[in-house]
Amino acid sequence: MPSKRHRTVIAGLTVVAAGVALGATAMAGGSTTRLVPMAVMTGLNGPQGITVNVAGNLYVADNNANEVLELTHQGHVVTVGSGFSHPSGVAANKKGDVWVADTGHNRVVEVNHFGVMTTVATGFSLPTGVAVDASGDVFVADTFGNRIVEVTPSGSQRTIGTGFHFPQGVAVQPNGNVYVADSGNHRVVEVTPTGTQRTVATGVTDFSVAVTAAGTVFTFDDTTSSNAIVEISPNGHEHILGPTYNVPYGIAVGPSGNLFVSDSSNNEVFKLLR
């Protein structure tokens, strides 16, 4: 079972008691940590799913603007694609090919690095989360279908997990383990390549989940109104990371280990500095 979470709030920031967490700065005695948020994108319109590729480029599903934006590692903002219907999820590979959960159109769209848009999968019921692995397999949280679907580069589909209740976020490790933000059940579930399901954490997550190559999982605290970030180590220990957010939706881990969070109500995306 996950360990009990202990937390202290200092000047509006939630800090971890006992231990230093990823992206945090140790305080006196090493007993507390804090994260420093920096807004990297503002003036958005209901940003939801976000991702950062290995090149360090940030991608945002700007839900109410019906477009996907890219913040390059040089600091330029580029419109990747438009004409979506309330896009909720986004994934990207190293080349800059992007996959979008086009929620209102019940489809997944690929926008390649030349800007060409292609519908790669349909037949969903309000898909919201999307992730892609190194082989180009795309994983879709089919929210009202209560399932996770894998879409291969050839376009074939197979359901890899069922029994969820409004799953919204999905992430994939290099080893093939898939992590699901099972929103209606307020938990994170791991689905292995053989289809075995394991509950990683409970009392968490409304929308999103992120995972590192080593298996550290990040989501949001759903046990209180704090909306703080929860870090779950591979051995199941949980830590609360700050700060808190108004309506956090998307979460992503950058190549350097920094966290990124989209705050839908404040129409911003934050980078949490070490």
Side-chain angles (χ1 to χ4, degrees):
M1 294 294 291
S3 62
K4 185 178 180 181
R5 284 170 274 170
H6 302 277
R7 57 188 171 185
T8 305
V9 178
I10 298 177
L13 292 179
T14 303
V15 298
V16 179
V20 177
L22 178 67
T25 302
M27 305 298 286
S31 61
T32 61
T33 61
R34 68 189 299 175
L35 297 170
V36 180
M38 178 182 71
V40 293
M41 295 186 74
T42 60
L44 301 171
N45 193 356
Q48 295 196 357
I50 60 176
T51 192
V52 183
N53 70 0
V54 297
N57 300 318
L58 170 69
Y59 300 86
V60 182
D62 200 10
N63 184 268
N64 294 327
N66 296 313
E67 61 185 6
V68 171
L69 303 176
E70 175 188 6
L71 175 65
T72 70
H73 61 275
Q74 297 98 341
H76 304 298
V77 177
V78 179
T79 299
V80 173
S82 58
F84 303 109
S85 177
H86 297 290
S88 298
V90 63
N93 64 13
K94 180 179 181 179
K95 293 190 300 182
D97 301 321
V98 177
W99 289 263
V100 181
D102 189 8
T103 306
H105 290 140
N106 291 310
R107 64 177 183 166
V108 173
V109 175
E110 178 187 0
V111 186
N112 71 17
H113 56 284
F114 298 111
V116 178
M117 295 175 59
T118 305
T119 297
V120 297
T122 59
F124 302 109
S125 182
L126 292 183
T128 54
V130 64
V132 64
D133 67 14
S135 301
D137 294 325
V138 178
F139 300 87
V140 184
D142 188 17
T143 302
F144 277 30
N146 293 312
R147 62 179 184 153
I148 303 299
V149 177
E150 179 183 8
V151 183
T152 68
S154 65
S156 64
Q157 298 184 28
R158 73 181 183 101
T159 297
I160 66 168
T162 59
F164 304 108
H165 185 49
F166 300 138
Q168 296 197 50
V170 63
V172 60
Q173 265 186 289
N175 64 7
N177 289 335
V178 174
Y179 292 82
V180 182
D182 189 12
S183 301
N185 289 320
H186 305 285
R187 62 177 184 162
V188 173
V189 178
E190 176 192 76
V191 183
T192 69
T194 61
T196 302
Q197 294 188 24
R198 178 178 69 93
T199 297
V200 174
T202 59
V204 296
T205 192
D206 278 331
F207 306 115
S208 295
V209 63
V211 64
T212 68
T216 300
V217 175
F218 297 92
T219 186
F220 297 108
D221 181 16
D222 199 39
T223 59
T224 70
S225 60
S226 72
N227 292 325
I229 297 169
V230 181
E231 177 191 37
I232 308 158
S233 68
N235 61 11
H237 291 183
E238 298 180 26
H239 299 290
I240 298 289
L241 307 180
T244 59
Y245 299 91
N246 194 353
V247 182
Y249 191 103
I251 189 166
V253 184
S256 65
N258 288 314
L259 292 173
F260 294 80
V261 173
S262 64
D263 192 337
S264 292
S265 180
N266 288 327
N267 294 312
E268 296 177 318
V269 175
F270 293 92
K271 178 180 180 179
L272 301 179
L273 301 176
R274 292 180 181 276

